[in-house]
Amino acid sequence: MLPTYERFSDPKSVLFRLPFARLALVALSLPLGGFFFCVIWSLTFDFVRSTYTHCDVTNYLPSVSAAIGNYEPQKTVWRLAIFLHLPLRLAVAKIYLEHYREHIRRSRRLLGILACFLNVVEDLALFCLSFWTSADHYETHRNAFVVFIACSECYMLVSYLLNRNIRKTVLLPHEEKSLRYKRNLFLVNVMAFGLAGYCFVRHNSHCEAGVYTFFALFEYIVVLTNMGFHMTSYWDFYALNVVCDAKHGLYLSQS
């Protein structure tokens, strides 16, 4: 039973109603499409500039920062994708907050609030590092990246633990599927981040050919697994609708 989702409202007061699956797909497709566009465009039209490093050694892939923030039209496309998807991500964070209030044991609800706080800060940090690029505002970009990574890793861990250990009810099959994806994507994300850090340090200290390519590749995996983790909301709210009306605001409904 999902009492929070069974609110009744005057149909005339409903501002919009759409399947959550559609919202989740749109929220994912904007940054995912923008990311692939930026990488492919950089490789096709800005290969030399985007793959150059201070070591001046052979490199075959642009870093994420170079692909999304250093050249046009990649910079504009990425910023537009992040700008458009931010309200959707914040709306999903609010929906998760209501979800945790309903389904997490009362003694652990502070963890639900913490998860939503980390999610929102992660979203805002992503916005900042996208609009203040490393080429133009290095310190701001660096600080935003540190906040983004810290909040991202912590959010994924807390979110997984909330859904695995602190639920009041037994998980449904599609929720179990979501939990498995959360675990696997989190583990791959952490390993890829560690390997990216190792390759970055090794590149800067030894200037070996090809090492920066592996750094960029592991960066891509970090980005894609992060997107995939947030996409698991598709199964968390399977078959539900997002409704917004004048009385209740934004909430989920089974009808």
Side-chain angles (χ1 to χ4, degrees):
M1 296 297 291
L2 302 173
T4 298
Y5 303 146
E6 295 174 353
R7 299 174 180 174
F8 295 95
S9 59
D10 181 356
K12 295 181 180 179
S13 70
V14 173
L15 301 177
F16 66 81
R17 179 194 304 270
L18 74 159
F20 185 88
R22 186 177 301 173
L23 175 66
L25 289 173
V26 171
L28 173 68
S29 63
L30 286 168
L32 182 63
F35 176 74
F36 277 116
F37 171 85
C38 291
V39 171
I40 293 171
W41 188 280
S42 296
L43 289 172
T44 305
F45 300 105
D46 282 306
F47 180 81
V48 174
R49 290 193 301 170
S50 66
T51 58
Y52 175 80
T53 74
H54 72 282
C55 287
D56 197 20
V57 294
T58 303
N59 175 37
Y60 300 101
L61 290 175
S63 67
V64 172
S65 295
I68 69 174
N70 286 0
Y71 311 108
E72 293 289 356
Q74 302 96 300
K75 184 190 298 186
T76 297
V77 169
W78 177 254
R79 286 178 173 179
L80 182 61
I82 295 303
F83 178 79
L84 292 175
H85 109 298
L86 180 61
L88 301 178
R89 285 279 295 269
L90 295 177
V92 172
K94 181 182 184 302
I95 290 169
Y96 264 114
L97 181 60
E98 295 294 330
H99 175 73
Y100 290 143
R101 285 175 177 171
E102 183 64 38
H103 293 282
I104 300 302
R105 295 199 295 268
R106 186 180 298 275
S107 60
R108 297 292 186 270
R109 286 183 184 171
L110 282 178
L111 285 177
I113 296 173
L114 174 62
C116 293
F117 172 78
L118 292 170
N119 193 358
V120 170
V121 174
E122 175 193 343
D123 294 339
L124 296 178
L126 175 60
F127 181 86
C128 289
L129 69 87
S130 299
F131 279 77
W132 284 268
T133 64
S134 60
D136 301 324
H137 307 276
Y138 177 74
E139 288 191 6
T140 302
H141 179 86
R142 180 197 61 194
N143 294 337
F145 174 77
V146 170
V147 172
F148 170 78
I149 285 294
C151 289
S152 172
E153 302 295 349
C154 292
Y155 169 72
M156 286 191 281
L157 178 60
V158 173
S159 177
Y160 172 72
L161 294 176
L162 277 171
N163 286 280
R164 190 190 70 171
N165 295 328
I166 316 178
R167 290 285 298 267
K168 292 191 297 185
T169 57
V170 176
L171 293 177
L172 299 173
H174 53 82
E175 292 173 324
E176 292 179 347
K177 183 177 183 179
S178 174
L179 189 63
R180 288 195 299 272
Y181 275 117
K182 282 181 171 66
R183 178 196 62 200
N184 296 339
L185 289 166
F186 171 66
L187 292 176
V188 173
N189 183 278
V190 170
M191 288 189 290
F193 178 69
L195 289 169
Y198 168 77
C199 291
F200 183 79
V201 172
R202 187 177 180 93
H203 168 76
N204 285 325
S205 60
H206 293 81
C207 283
E208 298 167 305
V211 173
Y212 202 79
T213 300
F214 283 102
F215 163 71
L217 179 61
F218 290 128
E219 266 197 319
Y220 298 172
I221 295 173
V222 170
V223 170
L224 294 174
T225 51
N226 175 274
M227 293 182 188
F229 190 95
H230 287 287
M231 184 58 194
T232 60
S233 61
Y234 178 95
W235 293 284
D236 289 335
F237 305 120
Y238 181 78
L240 298 174
N241 294 308
V242 179
V243 181
C244 184
D245 64 41
K247 183 177 180 181
H248 298 105
L250 192 69
Y251 61 94
L252 292 176
S253 172
Q254 290 180 316
S255 58

